Amino acid sequence: MTITNYDERIIKVNQPVPGAPNNWRRFFGFNTDAKVIGIQYIVTALIFLLLGGLLGMLIRGELITPPSDLFDPTVYNGLYTMHGTVMLFLFLFPILSGLTNLLVPPMIGAPDMAFPKLNALAFWLVPVFSIVLLTSFFVPGGPASSGWWSYPPVSIQNPLGHFLNGQMLWIVAIGLSGVSSIMGAINFVTTIITMRAPGMGFFKMPIFIWTVLAAQILQLLGLPALTGGAIMLFFDLNFGTSFFNPETGGDPVLFQHFFWFYSHPAVYVMVLPVFGIFSELFPTYSRKPLFGYKFVAVASFGITILSLVVWVHHMFYTGTPMWMRNLFMFTTMLIAVPTGVKVFAWIATLWGGNLRLNTPMLFCLGGLFNFIFGGITGVMLATVPIDIHVGNTYFVVAHFHYIIFNTIAFGIFAGIYHWFPKFTGRMFYEGLGKVHFTLTFIGATLNWLPLHWAGLLGMPRRVASYDPEFAIWNVIASIGAFMLGVASIPFILNMVSSWSRGKKSPPNPWDAIGLEWLLPSPPPHENFEDDIPTVLNEPYNYGLNKPFVVDEEFYISKALNDS
Amino acid sequence: MNLKDNINPKISLIIGISFAVFIDLVLSKLMASWSYSWLPVQASKAAPYVDNLFAFETGIGTFIFLGCSGVIGWVLLFNRAPKYDESYGEPFEGNVKLEIVWTLVPLFLVIAIAIYSTKVNTTLQNLGEKTKYDSQKELPTYLDNNEASAGTFIDVISRQWSWEFKYPEGFSSSELHLPINEKVYFRLISKDVIHGFYIPAFRLKQDIIPGSIISYSLTPTRKGIYRLRDSMFSGAYFSQNQTNVIVESKDAYQEWINKTVKKVPVDGLNQAGFLYKKRLEKGDKGWATISPSPSPQVNDPGNPDSAHEG
């Protein structure tokens, strides 16, 4: 039982860091254990979710009435820019890196990530660029306020003319975030390719691993474009170069290409792991095999490839020639095909199942329901004539929140609840979880469903004030947003109290199939240590009587004894 | 023996599914017809094309959404595990035929939508040429092409944060007056940052890129007053950067031209300038912004408070 298919020296060096504390203090230092790093990422990101949510509620506070009466419009612009930036770069990317860190090594039977120190470095860049970004609230002139796209020339106008300005700090933070993400991507891809348990061929990997691989390859291909664009923007802003400045011969539309070449795939970087979470949880809580495992797995790479050739759909009304608009409309719509394969597979997985509606399953079902809706409005937005009307209106804002919150954040909550017992060794309180789900689902629906109609009627996004005919949709949306704020209370209560005094969790509380569930809760430092299991079959063989690994009973009893 | 036992379960399944599909089709059709009411009034030649396409996609989307969520709802009602029951569901692993069906059906659907919208794009053709232009220089005059003699030509000049419309008769206006049922040609120009030329009632939007002149055309088809909004974020007073479009009969339009051309230029509509002045009076609080460009000198400053539809 000591066969490994990778060089053991990779992980036996300096592992764990000599002298690293083994108590709560380990979460506050440079620790190279992927499970510690995972929790560091998740907790940091959740704190920023609260900050981003607070900024969101301030925005909704301003928009509850038509005139710009709560803040000066300059302040509103800074708030919505920072809301988007915090949510994407300080909440979503880090929390997904956190889940990936927690799950990849145990799921593939590896002791840790391929490059533990690089992993820790990637995490510690998060507080660094977060502080850089948040410092911009306190520099003269305020933070960046040109939206999270930072389109020039608005973003390079620099009203006060200081070298140290909010926009400059924003670019530095985004650049560092990109560096951190590239470090993470190199680590995840290498780990998945080289460190899988014996017998775990690509078509025996859990779907979560497939989706992480597809997403992280996308990071490696796309991030250089954004980082390059950000550096050029930095030079235009601070040194007067003219990459994008039309007054000196630059082309502002060029930046949009650099930006969207990464930032559209970035959505798939975020949504793919969530598809992975759906694919893990639906079989577990339906007590059935995943319908069409191979199709679902391969569809992930269909999405990766297509998502690299759709970015111009953000530029249908910037003067893009007709042939190019038609081409990118078609590639964008094609994404519906692999995505549809996944959605239909999940629904078929539910069909005829024996459903257990606990908190993680509820978040999954809610996420799937919202995703179907968001996917349909996505195809509408891909349609050039419709996009020309609703592009840059609240219809887009509503659509992408349906994806990014109502799907991705729902999936993340599902994942947090599902694997909470595994990595903390404690059960969470189901009742509080259900309250959290109910408030989140109602709040999110109230917040973003009505805004589709505001957009269809022509309310532009990013406005600090609007014509009174849009008021009704905005009042409902603001009520929903405040409800989402309330929803965080049961969640925080649940997490804190369950981790400190929850019931002890058995190794496999959900009766799930997967290598991580063969480990004690919480898993030991190097997961399976020297007893790495040999994988026999595809995952998700619920009810089929096909063991996932050789000598399953041995691991089950070992995990029970070690817990 | 009752009647129920005589019915073949396969037949009852087919009847059940056909009934569900029928209901779904009816509801999707209703939703598609209802979708027209979610949009502003149709005031341009493009609007009906866009709305029909939107209704078509609303119909397809509703069918898929109700189909999927109907199945999810069914499962939630009838496949819930009783408490403490951890037994397995039916362990089917997949079905290649079904997989092929649900790969090909969406593929054909998106191809159909793409062909339909490509046709609409070809019909509309609102976007013309995009040529480089140095915004510091005077606007080039129209070249003597054949088009120049027929139709109305208007230069749209966008600034942080005001609109100015220059008419070939040599005057400017803060509001966009257009004759009904006549193709109007625009040159879209920005003096500073990217703005968006967006008239929801026309279903048309075009970004205005500094450093370029973008040719654009459209045909208004309904009399009335509509909003023109800046749709691309353009800085501090972005949301104030809106004005009215007035579509009127050919006679009324001509009368307006004759009247306006004689007027003396005054400060044009500049809501941002007004708000910025108020901000300075209150001690310049808030985060930094560049100051709004001075009000354009126009012959007709318009009336921003007149009621607009859409």
Side-chain angles (χ1 to χ4, degrees):
Chain A
M1 215 72 66
T2 52
I3 318 147
T4 45
N5 58 352
Y6 52 88
D7 187 347
E8 287 189 33
R9 279 171 304 178
I10 298 174
I11 45 108
K12 287 295 175 192
V13 180
N14 281 344
Q15 183 49 257
V17 173
N22 199 18
N23 53 21
W24 60 268
R25 278 194 206 100
R26 70 187 186 278
F27 294 110
F28 294 88
F30 192 87
N31 196 306
T32 56
D33 180 352
K35 283 187 283 290
V36 173
I37 294 173
I39 289 171
Q40 287 175 322
Y41 265 120
I42 291 174
V43 173
T44 313
L46 287 174
I47 291 168
F48 287 125
L49 170 64
L50 293 179
L51 174 66
L54 185 70
L55 293 170
M57 282 190 280
L58 292 177
I59 294 174
R60 290 300 341 158
E62 170 66 82
L63 293 178
I64 202 164
T65 53
S68 163
D69 41 14
L70 194 56
F71 307 110
D72 186 80
T74 52
V75 175
Y76 178 85
N77 296 338
L79 291 178
Y80 89 72
T81 301
M82 293 301 268
H83 164 73
T85 313
V86 166
M87 285 301 202
L88 286 168
F89 296 98
L90 272 55
F91 164 58
L92 281 167
F93 281 118
I95 203 161
L96 288 165
S97 291
L99 282 169
T100 310
N101 258 298
L102 279 184
L103 293 170
V104 166
M107 273 189 162
I108 63 172
D112 202 320
M113 299 287 278
F115 311 112
K117 280 184 185 159
L118 188 69
N119 200 17
L121 188 60
F123 166 72
W124 280 104
L125 275 174
V126 177
V128 172
F129 69 70
S130 307
I131 290 168
V132 171
L133 185 72
L134 299 180
T135 307
S136 68
F137 275 112
F138 307 103
V139 298
S145 44
S146 53
W148 82 279
W149 306 346
S150 282
Y151 274 9
V154 170
S155 59
I156 54 177
Q157 281 191 319
N158 193 4
L160 295 184
H162 296 174
F163 181 78
L164 185 72
N165 57 71
Q167 188 67 52
M168 175 256 205
L169 292 175
W170 185 93
I171 299 174
V172 171
I174 297 313
L176 289 176
S177 155
V179 172
S180 158
S181 291
I182 288 179
M183 288 176 177
I186 291 170
N187 223 337
F188 296 133
V189 171
T190 314
T191 308
I192 293 172
I193 289 181
T194 61
M195 292 175 70
R196 298 190 311 278
M200 188 183 266
F202 282 110
F203 282 101
K204 285 179 185 155
M205 294 194 306
I207 297 290
F208 182 77
I209 303 298
W210 272 94
T211 55
V212 166
L213 190 60
Q216 297 298 328
I217 288 175
L218 214 43
Q219 289 278 58
L220 290 177
L221 294 174
L223 263 170
L226 176 73
T227 313
I231 290 170
M232 286 181 249
L233 192 67
F234 185 91
F235 274 78
D236 272 10
L237 173 67
N238 285 312
F239 301 116
T241 53
S242 47
F243 293 104
F244 310 126
N245 188 351
E247 280 175 21
T248 41
D251 186 352
V253 178
L254 180 64
F255 177 81
Q256 303 183 8
H257 285 283
F258 285 120
F259 183 82
W260 289 114
F261 184 79
Y262 170 68
S263 296
H264 191 82
V267 179
Y268 294 93
V269 172
M270 293 183 279
V271 85
L272 275 164
V274 168
F275 290 169
I277 291 171
F278 287 170
S279 306
E280 299 294 322
L281 268 62
F282 283 130
T284 307
Y285 295 114
S286 311
R287 317 302 302 145
K288 277 185 61 203
L290 179 66
F291 192 93
Y293 164 80
K294 284 202 172 84
F295 286 89
V296 177
V298 173
S300 314
F301 277 87
I303 294 174
T304 295
I305 292 163
L306 281 173
S307 72
L308 285 168
V309 287
V310 300
W311 78 95
V312 177
H313 67 221
H314 292 273
M315 301 158 65
F316 280 161
Y317 35 76
T318 54
T320 309
M322 184 67 81
W323 67 268
M324 207 162 161
R325 290 193 265 177
N326 287 335
L327 176 70
F328 278 87
M329 166 172 70
F330 187 57
T331 53
T332 306
M333 286 181 178
L334 277 182
I335 291 199
V337 176
T339 317
V341 165
K342 284 181 181 254
V343 168
F344 296 133
W346 296 324
I347 294 174
T349 305
L350 294 168
W351 184 257
N354 201 20
L355 268 62
R356 234 188 299 166
L357 298 182
N358 58 358
T359 308
M361 180 61 157
L362 287 173
F363 269 107
C364 263
L365 286 166
L368 173 60
F369 179 81
N370 290 334
F371 180 65
I372 297 168
F373 188 84
I376 289 164
T377 54
V379 174
M380 289 175 170
L381 280 166
T383 312
V384 175
I386 297 178
D387 185 61
I388 285 179
H389 174 50
V390 294
N392 267 346
T393 70
Y394 260 87
F395 191 83
V396 180
V397 175
H399 159 76
F400 77 69
H401 279 98
Y402 251 80
I403 300 300
I404 222 159
F405 188 87
N406 294 11
T407 306
I408 297 178
F410 271 54
I412 288 169
F413 284 133
I416 288 177
Y417 281 109
H418 181 69
W419 283 288
F420 183 87
K422 174 50 56 191
F423 293 98
T424 62
R426 307 281 183 161
M427 298 302 286
F428 58 84
Y429 298 108
E430 189 56 44
L432 278 175
K434 288 204 168 103
V435 173
H436 176 213
F437 169 76
T438 312
L439 285 173
T440 309
F441 189 82
I442 299 173
T445 306
L446 285 180
N447 195 345
W448 291 299
L449 191 61
L451 292 179
H452 288 95
W453 281 276
L456 286 170
L457 289 171
M459 176 176 168
R461 69 190 289 194
R462 298 178 162 166
V463 288
S465 60
Y466 51 84
D467 282 333
E469 63 256 37
F470 305 120
I472 177 69
W473 312 111
N474 283 284
V475 170
I476 306 172
S478 294
I479 292 170
F482 302 141
M483 207 163 156
L484 283 176
V486 176
S488 64
I489 295 167
F491 176 64
I492 298 169
L493 270 181
N494 204 354
M495 292 295 110
V496 173
S497 60
S498 304
W499 199 357
S500 58
R501 49 200 298 185
K503 208 175 72 186
K504 283 234 183 294
S505 157
N508 192 358
W510 317 123
D511 206 6
I513 295 173
L515 290 184
E516 78 272 30
W517 303 107
L518 296 174
L519 288 163
S521 303
H525 222 298
E526 295 194 343
N527 299 328
F528 292 99
E529 291 161 342
D530 290 329
D531 285 321
I532 294 173
T534 302
V535 175
L536 272 181
N537 285 305
E538 282 180 5
Y540 319 116
N541 283 326
Y542 293 94
L544 284 171
N545 221 358
K546 285 197 258 179
F548 185 40
V549 299
V550 176
D551 211 1
E552 212 165 49
E553 286 307 315
F554 164 78
Y555 291 100
I556 293 171
S557 55
K558 187 168 182 274
L560 273 173
N561 293 336
D562 292 353
S563 274
Chain B
M1 214 181 188
N2 65 29
L3 189 69
K4 234 181 174 177
D5 298 332
N6 287 333
I7 300 173
N8 184 330
K10 212 169 181 179
I11 292 177
S12 60
L13 183 74
I14 290 170
I15 293 174
I17 289 177
S18 324
F19 183 68
V21 169
F22 175 73
I23 298 281
D24 195 357
L25 275 173
V26 171
L27 290 175
S28 307
K29 179 77 188 46
L30 284 175
M31 199 68 152
S33 343
W34 192 31
S35 73
Y36 288 93
S37 70
W38 306 338
L39 293 152
V41 290
Q42 299 181 340
S44 82
K45 221 175 120 188
Y49 288 99
V50 177
D51 293 5
N52 290 340
L53 189 53
F54 181 71
F56 176 66
E57 288 193 31
T58 304
I60 294 180
T62 308
F63 185 79
I64 294 171
F65 182 74
L66 287 182
C68 290
S69 46
V71 176
I72 297 175
W74 178 276
V75 169
L76 280 177
L77 285 176
F78 300 111
N79 289 345
R80 290 161 71 161
K83 226 176 176 182
Y84 308 117
D85 173 12
E86 301 211 338
S87 58
Y88 294 113
E90 295 164 47
F92 47 84
E93 285 177 274
N95 180 330
V96 176
K97 267 188 211 156
L98 209 53
E99 294 277 0
I100 291 172
V101 169
W102 69 44
T103 309
L104 291 183
V105 170
L107 182 66
F108 288 134
L109 274 181
V110 297
I111 290 176
I113 297 174
I115 291 174
Y116 182 2
S117 0
T118 307
K119 276 190 180 155
V120 172
N121 284 339
T122 319
T123 316
L124 297 182
Q125 296 280 13
N126 298 96
L127 180 64
E129 267 178 45
K130 180 178 172 185
T131 46
K132 287 277 167 202
Y133 149 69
D134 181 352
S135 60
Q136 309 305 319
K137 288 187 188 145
E138 275 295 300
L139 266 178
T141 47
Y142 276 105
L143 296 175
D144 55 328
N145 53 19
N146 294 332
E147 280 183 337
S149 51
T152 310
F153 291 80
I154 300 167
D155 285 335
V156 176
I157 297 165
S158 53
R159 296 185 178 87
Q160 282 171 315
W161 293 267
S162 60
W163 294 95
E164 181 187 354
F165 306 101
K166 283 193 166 169
Y167 284 76
E169 289 78 5
F171 67 90
S172 313
S173 165
S174 280
E175 289 181 328
L176 179 58
H177 284 252
L178 299 174
I180 191 170
N181 291 331
E182 204 171 292
K183 194 164 181 180
V184 191
Y185 296 87
F186 296 99
R187 291 193 299 181
L188 307 179
I189 296 134
S190 166
K191 289 288 186 188
D192 34 52
V193 300
I194 304 177
H195 296 276
F197 177 77
Y198 176 36
I199 304 160
F202 290 177
R203 313 287 187 278
L204 293 175
K205 170 184 294 124
Q206 174 59 46
D207 281 3
I208 310 179
I209 313 289
S212 299
I213 298 179
I214 294 173
S215 313
Y216 202 73
S217 60
L218 58 85
T219 311
T221 54
R222 185 181 180 279
K223 279 190 236 173
I225 301 179
Y226 313 105
R227 272 284 198 243
L228 183 157
R229 298 194 175 95
D230 189 354
S231 58
M232 176 55 83
F233 181 72
S234 56
Y237 295 99
F238 160 66
S239 52
Q240 302 298 335
N241 201 13
Q242 53 179 5
T243 183
N244 285 332
V245 180
I246 297 148
V247 180
E248 49 203 353
S249 70
K250 200 151 168 52
D251 293 341
Y253 175 70
Q254 199 53 51
E255 199 179 312
W256 173 76
I257 289 180
N258 297 338
K259 202 172 69 192
T260 315
V261 80
K262 290 178 207 139
K263 283 188 183 165
V264 190
V266 291
D267 281 352
L269 176 64
N270 185 3
Q271 194 62 16
F274 171 73
L275 289 176
Y276 186 67
K277 223 174 99 193
K278 253 173 66 181
R279 170 177 150 142
L280 292 181
E281 280 163 10
K282 282 187 186 165
D284 201 12
K285 290 202 187 80
W287 288 331
T289 170
I290 63 150
S291 45
S293 6
S295 310
Q297 294 304 300
V298 297
N299 304 59
D300 181 0
N303 176 17
D305 298 325
S306 45
H308 61 270
E309 316 167 64

